[in-house]
Amino acid sequence: GHEAVLSCPYVSKVSLLMVTWKMKCSACCLLAYRSDRNETRKLNCSERMMWKYLPGSDPALRIYPVNLGDEGNYSCEIVSSAGNFLLFSSLTVIVPPVVTLTCDRSGVVVCQASAGKPAADISWIPASNQSTEEEVRHPNGTVTRVSYVGWVNSTLPTVTCLVTHPATNQTLSL
């Protein structure tokens, strides 16, 4: 859902003739610019893929909003008076999980980190060696983690779930 910008640096003192972005797969996006005609072309590209700036001054690729299908390897080829230059970029998409904390009727506290990529880590305060964890891997590459801890005979008034993930850290308490 956020913006991804893949840069394709070149020395601006060298005259740029052509820039081409390609996604590494069959029948995928091709984004090209020719400076002599001041012409841009798009082939098999979604509307979410575009030039971030004017391609003649900065040929960065902008993807907005990013989705999981955009993950993969990209190449940028620059043709200039100094020669041809090829740059490779790898785009990894990170998805923050949706976090919930509930307590069922039997006194089991359930902390769930849904549809994150990569999988989130779940821990408890106070620390518990009585917790159990389940993991569900979804076809789109996301993961749901669920952690359970018993809270029936606890003398402590609060239980806190800590969810750690590259895109977000969340703390929920009951």
Side-chain angles (χ1 to χ4, degrees), residues 112-126:
Q112 182 166 312
S114 301
K117 183 178 176 292
D121 290 320
I122 299 174
S123 56
W124 296 95
I125 297 174

Side-chain angles (χ1 to χ4, degrees), residues 142-159:
T142 62
V143 179
T144 295
R145 275 221 176 120
V146 186
S147 183
Y148 306 88
V149 68
W151 204 248
V152 178
N153 296 321
S154 176
T155 57
L156 297 168
T158 305
V159 63

Side-chain angles (χ1 to χ4, degrees), residues 3 5 11 20 23 28 44 64 73 78 86 88 99 110 142 156 158 161-162 165:
E3 174 185 66
V5 176
V11 180
T20 308
M23 185 175 179
C28 277
N44 296 326
Y64 178 79
N73 297 315
I78 291 182
L86 194 57
F88 295 97
V99 180
V110 181
T142 62
L156 297 168
T158 305
C161 165
L162 297 171
H165 186 271

Side-chain angles (χ1 to χ4, degrees), residues 43-59:
L43 181 65
N44 296 326
C45 296
S46 95
E47 291 302 310
R48 299 175 304 99
M49 295 189 178
M50 65 205 81
W51 300 103
K52 171 74 175 175
Y53 310 103
L54 293 173
S57 59
D58 184 345

Side-chain angles (χ1 to χ4, degrees), residues 22-37:
K22 293 178 189 170
M23 185 175 179
K24 292 291 184 185
C25 69
S26 60
C28 277
C29 175
L30 174 76
L31 193 64
Y33 167 74
R34 270 185 70 164
S35 65
D36 61 337
R37 295 182 184 168

